[in-house]
């Protein structure tokens, strides 16, 4: 009876010591930061999807303008199709090659949209179209949300990666297979505060 009680006590102490060891080596921090990066990434995806959903209405409105540059519209449509064809799951952030492919596709779409908005400046009827102006406001808001969401994701990944690379928590990372996560490239990070220009204000008269 006493032997059995001692074994139970030793087992309880071992569990307690294990829990303390895991907490001290950053295990719980990995759990928290891993969930934080997943949540931040989900918000990035939500905002990219919001932008993708706006594009068909923008294209349809622009098509109504006679003689609008078809090549510009085609590039937007093709870039959207390419971006939305990638299965953007939360697991994407753990696959460097897939992440870079997704990132490149979204960058291509941003560029195509920027060119479209620049060309619109040559069409006064579009600039005066209230429906198009409403879409412009929605697009501006979405680009701002993308900027904020990407910034939060960058910060979340930085916090996680510092934990994964630092001693002694890097030992925990190796033990439990917590790999360093992919982040936006330096070039894209520099663009976070510079969403595509979508202003339709007339240039100041000289």
């Amino acid at each position: 009876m006493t032997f059995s009680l001692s074994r139970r006590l030793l087992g309880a102490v071992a569990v307690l010591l294990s829990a303390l060891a895991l907490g001290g080596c950053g295990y719980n921090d990995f759990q928290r930061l891993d969930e934080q990066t997943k949540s931040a990434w989900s918000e990035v995806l939500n905002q990219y999807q919001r932008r993708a959903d706006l594009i068909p209405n923008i294209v349809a409105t622009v098509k109504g303008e006679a003689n609008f540059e078809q090549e510009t519209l085609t590039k937007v449509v093709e870039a959207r199709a390419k971006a939305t064809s990638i299965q953007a799951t939360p697991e994407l952030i753990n696959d460097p090659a897939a992440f870079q492919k997704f990132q490149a596709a979204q960058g291509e779409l941003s560029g195509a949209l920027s060119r479209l908005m620049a060309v619109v400046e040559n069409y006064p009827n579009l600039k005066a179209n209230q429906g198009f102006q409403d879409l412009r406001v929605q697009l501006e808001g979405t680009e701002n949300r993308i900027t904020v969401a990407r910034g939060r994701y960058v910060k979340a990944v930085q916090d996680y990666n510092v934990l994964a690379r630092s001693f002694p928590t890097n030992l925990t990372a190796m033990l439990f297979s917590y790999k360093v996560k992919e982040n936006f490239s330096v070039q894209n990070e520099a663009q976070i505060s510079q969403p595509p220009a979508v202003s339709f204000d007339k240039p100041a008269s000289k």
Side-chain angles (χ1 to χ4, degrees):
M1 186 77 170
T2 303
F3 179 72
S4 178
L5 183 61
S6 297
R7 288 185 63 183
R8 290 179 185 175
L9 182 60
L10 287 172
V13 170
V15 170
L16 179 59
L17 290 175
S18 297
L20 290 173
L22 287 174
C25 66
Y27 179 81
N28 291 334
D29 288 331
F30 274 113
Q31 301 299 308
R32 175 177 57 83
L33 293 179
D34 188 45
E35 290 302 318
Q36 189 170 302
T37 56
K38 289 177 182 177
S39 176
W41 178 244
S42 293
E43 184 57 23
V44 171
L45 297 182
N46 287 339
Q47 299 310 325
Y48 276 138
Q49 184 60 52
R50 182 192 294 267
R51 181 173 69 176
D53 291 342
L54 274 174
I55 291 174
N57 290 333
I58 292 174
V59 171
T61 303
V62 171
K63 274 185 176 180
E65 176 66 29
N67 301 320
F68 191 85
E69 297 180 20
Q70 186 60 40
E71 182 182 358
T72 303
L73 275 178
T74 299
K75 287 183 178 179
V76 170
V77 173
E78 290 177 346
R80 178 187 183 275
K82 184 176 180 180
T84 55
S85 69
I86 299 174
Q87 189 176 8
T89 63
E91 289 72 28
L92 191 70
I93 58 178
N94 296 319
D95 185 340
F99 183 90
Q100 291 173 13
K101 182 179 179 182
F102 175 83
Q103 188 179 174
Q106 292 296 338
E108 186 177 327
L109 179 54
S110 294
L113 274 173
S114 293
R115 288 189 292 274
L116 173 64
M117 296 307 173
V119 171
V120 164
E121 291 292 327
N122 299 322
Y123 296 84
N125 290 341
L126 270 177
K127 293 170 67 175
N129 184 312
Q130 186 58 50
F132 189 79
Q133 289 299 318
D134 292 342
L135 290 171
R136 172 189 64 82
V137 171
Q138 293 181 56
L139 182 60
E140 286 178 339
T142 299
E143 293 293 352
N144 288 334
R145 291 187 185 97
I146 289 174
T147 296
V148 172
R150 282 171 51 125
R152 287 174 178 168
Y153 175 74
V154 167
K155 180 61 168 61
V157 171
Q158 286 175 341
D159 291 344
Y160 174 93
N161 286 348
V162 166
L163 187 68
R165 288 171 170 152
S166 301
F167 182 83
T169 50
N170 63 329
L171 302 178
T172 304
M174 289 188 287
L175 181 62
F176 292 97
S177 298
Y178 284 112
K179 298 179 180 179
V180 169
K181 294 184 184 295
E182 189 75 12
N183 211 336
F184 288 107
S185 65
V186 174
Q187 179 181 2
N188 283 321
E189 285 183 40
Q191 294 172 350
I192 284 177
S193 60
Q194 300 175 6
V198 291
S199 175
F200 294 89
D201 296 333
K202 293 181 178 180
S205 55
K206 297 180 180 179

